[in-house]
Structures are given as structure tokens and as C-alpha cells.
């Protein structure tokens, strides 16, 4: 097998030198060799420099999956800048917030999202230039062609951010997690022992690139010299066809996507002889869905537990664990720590370390950790300890064999189909609805999405409450995936002595008969 690159920063030059004519990226009906892919990144980097970008500057990327996004991230790495990838599912006001928070000077936007840009263009003070990618008038391709490939820029600071992924916070505003060459290289190296991926393999990148399960997974494949098969949209029939027709060997998907794929007619009869391993994570996989998936796709299954702030996965439940009939209870665990990852279970108030099978907050220490949140010192202080631990916000325990079990969340985050939803953000909008006296949003079980939001609403006295009107109001102000899927009217919300809503009490009736309260 070919030797691996030293780090993410030199992966493109490494594989251009080792295998220049081997295919690196496949997208739709197009493909690029390592030589071609590297030249595109060099031209992108030259264009960024010509536009005046300096080390530490940000660009923003708003589109569905497209090779230009990966090229821009790697071009930013070459010049010390960073690509802030915007969640294309956000509402226009939220898109504006992210772009302005990043202080992006260049905005790459797909033609599909020009209507969104039209609504916010006058309120993007730092954006000096917009470059449209895709469509008939593909400005991105013209921009690449107009620039000669950038010459070697020399070594870069390994701890400088080049990929900025936004994760919502308990304050209701997204935070930009600054991922670096050092953090993403550590993640790619840690994956070497478990992904068993390398030159000659084809890794499908289907999750959105604004998600760590998209961008970090793409970098894992590229780092190991695999061909990546980039998928623009998660459409079940197309995904199944792509796996078969592109001879995909590895893929990472969230559980909801497995559920959709299992509904494709004839899915079990397709030829998966090239498929080696399927990875899942970002939200819990219900055991019935996992078992059906393992029957349909007779390959190795791996579960990943991780977070944006750790550049991706930090634990893995491997293929042997998935086949271990004597320890089937481990299918509800998140597996063991990856190489180079330390886990600790900590009492969240006192900071005391807890022993096996004692539930507390999951803390993580690893070289994979982000450099911090962009321009959020208070959030950094809350999330990162002085001795290098990340407070995950998840509650769980380690058993005597080192398997991690996630039992609940310290914070009230809802994970729906792999998307993180913070109730405070949603509650702030719902509270503005005229007939709402009080409201709390909780996650309730859903067979498709893992969990979805439910608004527990105390109506104002004497009103005839319009639940559909409330949901429509929410969709006007937030991305639809963040909005509750149902409304329940209640007389009052349970609160403790300090007035905090007891959300655990609200959730309990819905999760009582479930294997995982998450």
C-alpha cells in the first residue's frame, strides 16, 4: 500500500506525486485525477491571494455538495485562510448571521441559492465579491481558469483554522468551530486503524459538507488516497444506484438515511459485492433499523460517536462488536475511544471524576479538538478546560471494558436526522407568537428521524389556540428542520425552585419504553 501523507496540509501534493493519473474525485458525470484536482486547488488558492485574502481571513461557501467546496477548503489551507461552510438549510436571516459572524470577504454560492442571497445581499458588509458556482454561467470555473496555479507558499501554522463549521449553541446563535490542519490530521490518522480505507477504494461522501460527517469524512478518504464519490443530494434511489454503479466501498450515513434507503424497491436484491463497510452516526440508530440495515447490506458496520468540536469521531463501535452475539447489548453503546482519544466521565457540577457505570458528563481530550469557537471567548471558556478537555454536554458512562454509553444530554439539544437543534433558539421564536403564554421544546421519539421537536405550549387564557398557525409562524423565522413537528397544549410547565423548566420530566413519558433516552 502507498505511504500516507504527513498531514492534511500535504495530502494533495502527496497523492499528486504518488498517483497523478489515479481518479481522486467523482461528481455526477464528471471526474478529476489527482493531478487535475491538485491544479484546481492551486488555481483556487491563487485566486484567493489575488483577491487580497490574508492569513486568518475567511471566505464563506453556500451550496449543496459540490467539489468547489472541498477545493476551497484545501485552497484556504494552502494560504492560511479558512472556509466557513454555511448550512444551506438555514433560513435567510440565519445564513446572513453566519456569513457576517465569519466576516467573510468572498462568498461562493450555488445557483440554487441565489434567491437566498438576493434577500440578504445588502446586509453583508464584509463580502467584497460573490462567485457563483454551477449553472450555465459557472463563474467558479471561469475564476479557476483565470488564475495561474499558485506556487508553493511554504509551511503553514498547523494550528491555524482552515475549515470553520457552525454548530448551534445554547444561546440560540451558531458558533464557528475552528478546525485546523492539526485537528483534522489527527482525526484522519486515528481513522486509519478502523476505517480500513486506502488507495483503490471509493468512499461515498453523501452527508452535507457543512456537517463534520461530510467535510471530515471527505478528508479521511482523500488523506488515505481513496477516490471520493461526492453526492450532491441525499435522494434514496440515487444513493443506492451510486453505491452500485460507482463501486462504492465505504460510506458514512446518518441513521435516517438508512431508513430511507431500505424503502427503495428492490434494495435488497442489488449487487453490493464492492461494498466493504458502512459507517453511521450523528444520531442514534434504533436497533430494529440497524438489524434491517445489516441484513440488507451484508458488509461491516461501524458506529461513530463524535462532534464538530472534535473534528469528527472520537469513539467507534467496530464491525466485530456488531457481530458479537454474546454481547448484543453493546449495540446500544458508542464503542471505544479511538487511538489518541482520552475519555472521562465527570460530575458536571463538582468536576469529580466518576467510576465505571456512573453517569456523568462525557469529557474528551485529543489532538482532534478544535482551536476554539471563532470570536466566542465565553463559549470557549465554557466548553474547554485549561488542561485540554472538551466538555461534550452529553451525559453517559463508561463500562468496565471501556465502552461508552450515551444515556442522555446535559444540554437539551435535539438530534433529528443528524442535525443539531437547540430548543432555546426555537423557543425564542415560538414565544413571539401572540397566543403563547409559555413554551418549552423537547425531543420526542421518531422512527424516521430518531427524534423530532415537540412544542409544549401553555396558551394565553381565553384563546382558541391555532397549533398549525404556530408551526407556520415558526417556519417563517427558522429553517424548517428546526421547527417542531407537533404541538401539545398543557396547563403549565413543570419548573424547579429557580424557575428552570424541568425538561427531563416533560420528556420521560415519551421515552419510557425506548432503549435509548436520546
Amino acid at each position: 500500500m502507498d505511504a500516507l501523507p504527513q498531514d492534511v496540509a500535504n495530502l494533495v501534493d502527496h497523492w499528486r506525486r504518488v498517483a497523478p493519473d489515479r481518479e481522486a474525485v467523482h461528481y455526477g458525470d464528471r471526474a478529476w485525477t489527482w493531478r487535475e484536482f491538485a491544479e484546481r486547488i492551486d488555481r483556487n488558492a491563487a485566486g484567493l491571494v489575488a483577491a487580497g485574502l490574508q492569513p486568518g481571513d475567511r471566505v464563506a461557501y453556500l451550496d449543496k455538495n459540490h467539489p468547489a467546496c472541498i477545493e476551497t477548503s484545501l485552497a484556504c489551507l494552502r494560504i492560511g485562510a479558512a472556509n466557513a461552510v454555511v448550512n444551506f438549510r438555514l433560513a435567510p436571516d440565519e445564513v446572513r448571521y453566519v456569513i457576517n459572524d465569519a466576516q467573510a470577504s468572498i462568498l461562493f454560492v450555488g445557483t440554487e441559492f441565489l434567491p437566498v442571497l438576493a434577500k440578504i445581499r445588502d446586509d453583508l458588509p464584509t463580502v467584497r465579491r460573490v462567485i457563483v458556482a454551477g449553472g450555465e454561467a459557472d463563474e467558479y470555473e471561469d475564476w479557476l481558469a483565470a488564475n495561474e496555479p499558485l506556487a508553493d507558499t511554504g509551511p503553514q501554522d498547523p494550528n491555524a483554522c482552515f475549515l470553520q463549521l457552525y454548530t448551534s449553541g445554547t444561546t440560540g446563535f451558531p458558533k464557528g468551530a475552528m478546525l485546523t490542519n492539526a485537528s483534522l490530521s489527527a482525526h484522519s490518522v486515528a481513522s486509519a486503524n478502523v476505517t480500513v480505507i486506502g488507495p483503490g477504494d471509493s468512499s461515498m461522501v453523501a452527508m452535507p459538507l457543512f456537517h463534520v460527517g461530510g467535510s471530515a469524512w471527505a478528508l479521511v478518504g482523500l488523506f488515505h488516497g481513496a477516490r471520493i464519490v461526492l453526492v450532491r443530494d441525499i435522494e434514496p434511489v440515487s444513493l443506492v444506484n451510486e453505491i452500485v454503479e460507482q463501486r462504492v466501498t465505504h460510506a458514512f450515513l446518518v441513521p435516517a438515511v438508512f431508513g430511507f434507503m431500505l424503502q427503495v424497491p428492490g434494495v435488497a436484491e442489488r449487487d453490493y459485492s464492492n461494498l466493504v463497510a458502512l459507517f453511521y452516526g450523528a444520531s442514534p440508530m434504533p436497533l430494529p433499523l440497524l438489524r434491517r440495515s445489516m441484513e440488507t447490506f451484508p458488509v461491516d458496520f461501524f458506529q461513530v460517536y463524535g462532534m464538530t468540536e472534535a473534528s469528527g469521531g472520537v469513539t467507534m463501535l467496530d464491525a466485530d462488536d456488531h457481530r458479537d452475539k454474546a454481547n448484543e447489548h453493546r449495540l446500544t453503546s458508542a464503542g471505544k475511544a479511538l487511538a489518541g482519544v482520552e475519555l472521562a466521565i465527570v460530575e458536571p457540577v463538582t468536576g469529580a471524576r466518576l467510576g465505571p457505570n456512573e453517569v456523568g458528563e462525557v469529557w474528551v481530550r485529543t489532538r482532534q479538538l478544535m482551536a476554539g469557537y471563532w470570536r466566542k471567548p465565553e463559549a470557549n471558556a465554557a466548553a474547554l478546560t485549561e488542561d485540554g478537555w472538551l466538555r461534550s454536554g452529553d451525559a453517559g458512562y463508561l463500562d468496565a471494558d471501556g465502552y461508552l454509553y450515551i444515556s442522555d444530554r446535559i444540554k437539551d439539544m435535539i438530534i433529528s436526522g443528524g442535525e443539531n437543534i437547540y430548543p432555546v433558539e426555537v423557543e425564542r421564536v415560538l414565544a413571539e407568537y401572540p397566543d403563547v403564554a409559555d413554551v418549552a421544546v423537547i425531543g420526542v421519539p421518531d422512527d424516521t428521524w430518531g427524534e423530532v421537536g415537540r412544542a409544549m405550549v401553555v396558551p394565553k387564557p381565553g384563546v382558541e389556540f391555532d397549533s398549525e398557525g404556530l408551526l407556520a409562524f415558526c417556519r417563517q423565522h427558522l429553517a424548517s428542520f428546526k421547527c417542531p413537528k407537533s404541538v401539545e397544549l398543557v396547563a403549565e410547565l413543570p419548573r424547579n425552585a429557580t424557575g428552570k423548566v424541568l425538561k427531563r420530566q416533560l420528556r420521560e413519558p415519551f421515552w419510557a419504553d425506548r432503549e435509548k433516552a436520546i
Side-chain angles (χ1 to χ4, degrees):
M1 180 178 286
D2 299 326
L4 292 177
Q6 295 174 342
D7 56 20
V8 168
N10 84 325
L11 76 84
V12 174
D13 289 336
H14 174 88
W15 293 114
R16 167 167 47 189
R17 182 177 65 255
V18 171
D21 298 319
R22 197 158 63 202
E23 191 172 299
V25 178
H26 175 93
Y27 176 76
D29 58 358
R30 302 187 65 187
W32 296 269
T33 64
W34 277 104
R35 179 189 290 112
E36 293 166 336
F37 182 52
E39 181 178 316
R40 289 170 66 84
I41 292 166
D42 289 345
R43 289 180 181 275
N44 187 317
L48 296 178
V49 171
L53 256 76
Q54 299 292 323
D57 287 346
R58 264 62 177 163
V59 305
Y61 198 98
L62 174 64
D63 194 11
K64 293 180 179 177
N65 284 1
H66 191 284
C69 184
I70 299 173
E71 292 165 1
T72 299
S73 295
L74 292 172
C76 284
L77 175 56
R78 290 185 69 82
I79 67 168
N83 183 15
V85 188
V86 184
N87 183 342
F88 58 77
R89 296 172 181 161
L90 296 177
D93 284 351
E94 297 169 305
V95 170
R96 177 178 57 196
Y97 174 85
V98 170
I99 295 171
N100 286 340
D101 180 76
Q103 299 179 328
S105 53
I106 295 179
L107 172 63
F108 297 89
V109 60
T111 54
E112 195 172 334
F113 296 93
L114 289 175
V116 174
L117 177 62
K119 295 178 181 179
I120 62 175
R121 183 64 185 96
D122 293 338
D123 195 18
L124 300 176
T126 64
V127 174
R128 302 194 304 265
R129 183 173 180 183
V130 174
I131 298 173
V132 180
E136 293 183 6
D138 195 331
E139 296 176 359
Y140 178 76
E141 293 296 330
D142 293 340
W143 184 67
L144 291 185
N147 292 288
E148 289 301 316
L150 184 71
D152 185 16
T153 58
Q156 298 293 333
D157 178 1
N159 296 311
C161 170
F162 79 91
L163 179 63
Q164 190 157 299
L165 300 182
Y166 275 78
T167 176
S168 294
T170 54
T171 61
F173 295 102
K175 303 189 296 292
M178 297 186 290
L179 307 185
T180 69
N181 176 38
S183 71
L184 283 160
S185 295
H187 179 258
S188 295
V189 170
S191 70
N193 295 327
V194 288
T195 57
V196 198
I197 189 171
D201 289 324
S202 293
S203 175
M204 187 168 76
V205 180
M207 301 312 299
L209 293 171
F210 65 75
H211 193 290
V212 74
S215 280
W217 178 252
L219 289 173
V220 166
L222 294 170
F223 184 86
H224 290 86
R227 162 187 183 255
I228 64 168
V229 178
L230 184 63
V231 177
R232 182 169 178 81
D233 276 311
I234 296 178
E235 198 285 312
V237 174
S238 296
L239 284 184
V240 173
N241 289 340
E242 200 83 347
I243 289 172
V244 174
E245 294 168 8
Q246 293 303 320
R247 305 177 305 284
V248 167
T249 58
H250 298 69
F252 173 84
L253 302 167
V254 297
V257 175
F258 280 94
F260 295 142
M261 290 168 61
L262 292 181
Q263 298 174 30
V264 173
V267 63
E269 284 71 53
R270 303 297 294 270
D271 178 9
Y272 302 113
S273 56
N274 290 294
L275 196 59
V276 174
L278 290 171
F279 296 74
Y280 64 95
S283 64
M285 174 86 93
L287 290 183
L289 175 59
L290 175 57
R291 292 186 178 110
R292 283 177 19 235
S293 299
M294 292 172 68
E295 290 172 1
T296 302
F297 305 103
V299 299
D300 288 342
F301 272 71
F302 296 80
Q303 181 192 165
V304 180
Y305 165 73
M307 55 213 72
T308 304
E309 291 86 346
S311 304
V314 294
T315 73
M316 182 84 72
L317 188 72
D318 67 21
D320 288 339
D321 286 320
H322 280 79
R323 291 189 289 261
D324 187 355
K325 298 297 184 182
N327 293 286
E328 278 197 299
H329 65 281
R330 287 179 180 160
L331 290 177
T332 62
S333 82
K336 291 185 171 183
L338 293 177
V341 173
E342 296 178 75
L343 298 176
I345 306 299
V346 177
E347 208 294 317
V349 176
T350 67
R353 300 296 172 89
L354 301 176
N357 302 313
E358 293 184 298
V359 176
E361 185 174 16
V362 180
W363 285 19
V364 180
R365 185 161 64 180
T366 169
R367 290 183 64 246
Q368 296 178 204
L369 293 188
M370 64 177 179
Y373 296 116
W374 167 249
R375 301 171 59 225
K376 296 285 189 295
E378 292 182 359
N380 289 333
L384 299 166
T385 70
E386 291 183 357
D387 55 348
W389 290 91
L390 171 72
R391 302 178 177 95
S392 74
D394 291 331
Y397 65 91
L398 288 165
D399 70 11
D401 297 313
Y403 287 84
L404 176 66
Y405 291 78
I406 304 297
S407 54
D408 208 332
R409 278 182 287 277
I410 301 295
K411 303 166 185 175
D412 292 315
M413 183 175 71
I414 299 166
I415 302 178
S416 185
E419 291 285 356
N420 294 348
I421 303 167
Y422 282 86
V424 168
E425 181 181 19
V426 184
E427 290 160 0
R428 191 177 65 229
V429 171
L430 298 183
E432 296 294 324
Y433 192 70
D435 294 339
V436 170
D438 202 0
V439 62
V441 174
I442 61 171
V444 299
D446 183 85
D447 290 338
T448 298
W449 302 107
E451 62 178 332
V452 295
R454 173 170 291 200
M456 312 295 287
V457 174
V458 179
K460 289 183 177 177
V463 303
E464 185 173 341
F465 198 84
D466 180 6
S467 295
E468 288 302 317
L470 175 66
L471 297 179
F473 175 83
C474 188
R475 289 191 290 269
Q476 290 175 12
H477 298 277
L478 288 175
S480 60
F481 75 86
K482 296 183 179 181
C483 297
K485 298 298 184 283
S486 61
V487 176
E488 182 170 336
L489 304 182
V490 294
E492 63 180 0
L493 298 177
R495 297 179 181 274
N496 64 14
T498 63
K500 181 177 175 60
V501 175
L502 301 173
K503 291 189 175 178
R504 180 187 294 269
Q505 188 172 321
L506 289 173
R507 289 194 297 261
E508 281 176 353
F510 301 99
W511 293 96
D513 60 347
R514 294 281 172 146
E515 291 162 292
K516 288 186 178 182
I518 180 170

